[in-house]
Amino acid sequence: MADKVLFQDITSMDRQKPCIPTGSIVLDSALHFRPFIRSRIHHISGDEGGGKTTLSLELAKNHILMRLLEGDHDGEKFVYFYDVERALDFSLVDGIVPLELQERIRLAKPLTAEDCMNSILKICTDNKKILCIVDSVAALSSECEINESVDKASVGGIAALMSKFCRKILNAVDVNENTVIFLNQLRSDINTQSKNRNKKVEPGGKALGFYSTQHLRFGTVYVADRFMTKDKERRCTGHKARVEIKRNKVGSEKSTVEVPLYYGRGIWKEREVLEQGYLLGILSRQGNKYFYGDLRLGASLDNSVKYLEKNPDVYNKIRRDLFESIPNVDACSPILRKFYGI
């Protein structure tokens, strides 16, 4: 039996595993430029409408771009998206993922949790460098739960399935350099013995807490977090998502960052670069006017963001300066620097 255990020389093992960038400089920096490492299981949770699906689509796009940068130009699919909730907005997909990259994404709508988990296990066993996204754990239903009558309560079924599945998938994910990301929603704790009546729990048991390498939680979106237009209609164009790093096995935990999201387009990169550039002293402000050196960007934050959207060369220069000003930028791998163009 001892012959089945294989040992490796620890000195020859890769110290810097490939990762999947989020597209947000602030979030990648908080994750020590090792966001969503391959060969691992990851967990994204939060309230409804917080931005979990938006971030997952950004990760799907960036995973494809990273593989293309690595020279993988064959015709295989790179991303498998499991829309368990059956609520994926395709206008959001078109706004985040370019059409030429959508050809490398496959979409499935599994009926039961067993079908979803068996499909992921087969894909991760037969393929390499694949990203699987499950949206979401809260919507999974076991075969027993579906076949039973509605008035019969089924408690703990998905938790047991998740625990068994994580143990089975772990080796296939590690050996074949695959990545599995579980999205999850928050629910109110129905435990009557709990002292905290506002306590939130995550469906699916505690298995993801043990097996996930990184766990991000999106906070509640308040009115003050929303971006509103200045016209008479006062339309909401996006919001500022508060992302808490609940777990990070490859860096520090318990940090919270704010990521601006633009509805229908994903992470609002121009606004993020503008806000962070001003905080780090790369940009200056006189009154309500923003300047990059002697170059005037706009007479307000919104106008300055529009200027960066229309002038990508200026945006790229500010972004490069922003990267060099980040204290932990030395942890950024060469392939990640190439992805960000620095």
Side-chain angles (χ1 to χ4, degrees):
M1 296 296 292
D3 296 334
K4 293 184 178 181
V5 179
L6 300 178
F7 290 93
Q8 293 177 298
D9 184 6
I10 196 171
T11 59
S12 61
M13 298 182 71
D14 189 8
R15 292 296 193 271
Q16 209 167 32
K17 287 202 171 197
C19 58
I20 307 174
T22 62
S24 168
I25 300 175
V26 177
L27 187 53
D28 284 352
S29 175
L31 293 170
H32 293 261
F33 289 104
R34 302 182 69 187
F36 294 89
I37 297 176
R38 284 187 199 162
S39 309
R40 304 290 180 91
I41 297 173
H42 303 283
H43 187 196
I44 302 174
S45 64
D47 292 314
E48 296 88 345
K52 303 182 297 296
T53 304
T54 298
L55 179 59
S56 68
L57 291 174
E58 289 276 2
L59 290 167
K61 177 187 69 175
N62 296 337
H63 175 69
I64 298 172
L65 292 175
M66 288 290 284
R67 288 203 56 180
L68 294 177
L69 282 176
E70 294 170 0
D72 295 335
H73 295 280
D74 52 5
E76 66 174 318
K77 305 300 180 182
F78 294 162
V79 179
Y80 291 81
F81 195 101
Y82 294 84
D83 184 21
V84 185
E85 294 181 355
R86 289 165 170 75
L88 182 62
D89 185 4
F90 291 102
S91 63
L92 179 63
V93 178
D94 294 335
I96 296 177
V97 185
L99 188 60
E100 61 272 14
L101 299 183
Q102 292 183 23
E103 299 175 354
R104 299 182 181 271
I105 302 177
R106 296 201 68 180
L107 177 68
K109 297 182 179 181
L111 177 62
T112 66
E114 288 85 352
D115 293 340
C116 179
M117 294 174 184
N118 288 330
S119 174
I120 297 175
L121 183 59
K122 186 178 186 307
I123 288 172
C124 290
T125 304
D126 297 341
N127 300 277
K128 291 187 176 183
K129 300 180 181 180
I130 294 296
L131 171 62
C132 294
I133 301 173
V134 180
D135 187 12
S136 63
V137 175
L140 289 172
S141 298
S142 64
E143 290 183 1
C144 296
E145 186 177 357
I146 291 177
N147 295 329
E148 281 183 349
S149 177
V150 178
D151 58 347
K152 289 187 177 181
S154 55
V155 181
I158 297 299
L161 283 174
M162 287 298 299
S163 179
K164 184 177 181 180
F165 171 72
C166 288
R167 291 194 298 270
K168 292 189 68 173
I169 196 70
L170 205 59
N171 183 66
V173 167
D174 180 44
V175 173
N176 294 332
E177 296 186 48
N178 296 316
T179 310
V180 181
I181 299 177
F182 289 98
L183 308 187
N184 207 353
Q185 294 183 6
L186 297 180
R187 295 287 186 264
S188 298
D189 189 6
I190 60 174
N191 183 11
T192 57
Q193 304 298 324
S194 177
K195 296 181 180 179
N196 186 3
R197 299 297 180 182
N198 298 322
K199 182 181 177 182
K200 298 285 186 176
V201 295
E202 295 163 352
K206 297 183 178 181
L208 283 177
F210 292 109
Y211 291 102
S212 60
T213 298
Q214 291 171 334
H215 177 195
L216 307 184
R217 177 178 289 182
F218 280 76
T220 305
V221 180
Y222 299 100
V223 176
D225 299 327
R226 302 187 183 278
F227 304 135
M228 309 298 294
T229 57
K230 303 297 183 183
D231 53 16
K232 294 181 180 180
E233 297 180 1
R234 295 287 293 171
R235 293 176 292 106
C236 182
T237 58
H239 71 267
K240 186 171 291 186
R242 289 183 174 86
V243 184
E244 181 184 1
I245 302 174
K246 298 286 291 184
R247 181 182 182 86
N248 186 12
K249 289 184 178 180
V250 293
S252 60
E253 302 178 2
K254 306 301 182 183
S255 60
T256 303
V257 297
E258 295 183 347
V259 180
L261 302 179
Y262 194 100
Y263 295 154
R265 277 172 37 188
I267 296 175
W268 203 348
K269 300 176 180 62
E270 292 82 6
R271 189 181 185 104
E272 181 185 58
V273 165
L274 187 69
E275 292 176 346
Q276 297 301 316
Y278 174 70
L279 291 176
L280 294 177
I282 299 170
L283 304 178
S284 59
R285 189 173 69 177
Q286 298 178 8
N288 66 338
K289 302 178 181 65
Y290 287 84
F291 291 87
Y292 176 51
D294 296 330
L295 177 63
R296 175 180 166 177
L297 303 180
S300 66
L301 180 63
D302 293 336
N303 290 332
S304 300
V305 171
K306 292 179 181 178
Y307 179 87
L308 293 182
E309 292 174 347
K310 295 178 180 178
N311 298 272
D313 294 338
V314 179
Y315 163 75
N316 290 328
K317 289 180 181 178
I318 298 175
R319 187 176 66 169
R320 281 193 291 268
D321 293 345
L322 178 61
F323 260 100
E324 299 303 328
S325 302
I326 297 175
N328 59 347
V329 72
D330 295 336
C332 191
S333 63
I335 188 68
L336 201 59
R337 286 175 173 269
K338 187 177 181 181
F339 172 83
Y340 278 112
I342 58 173

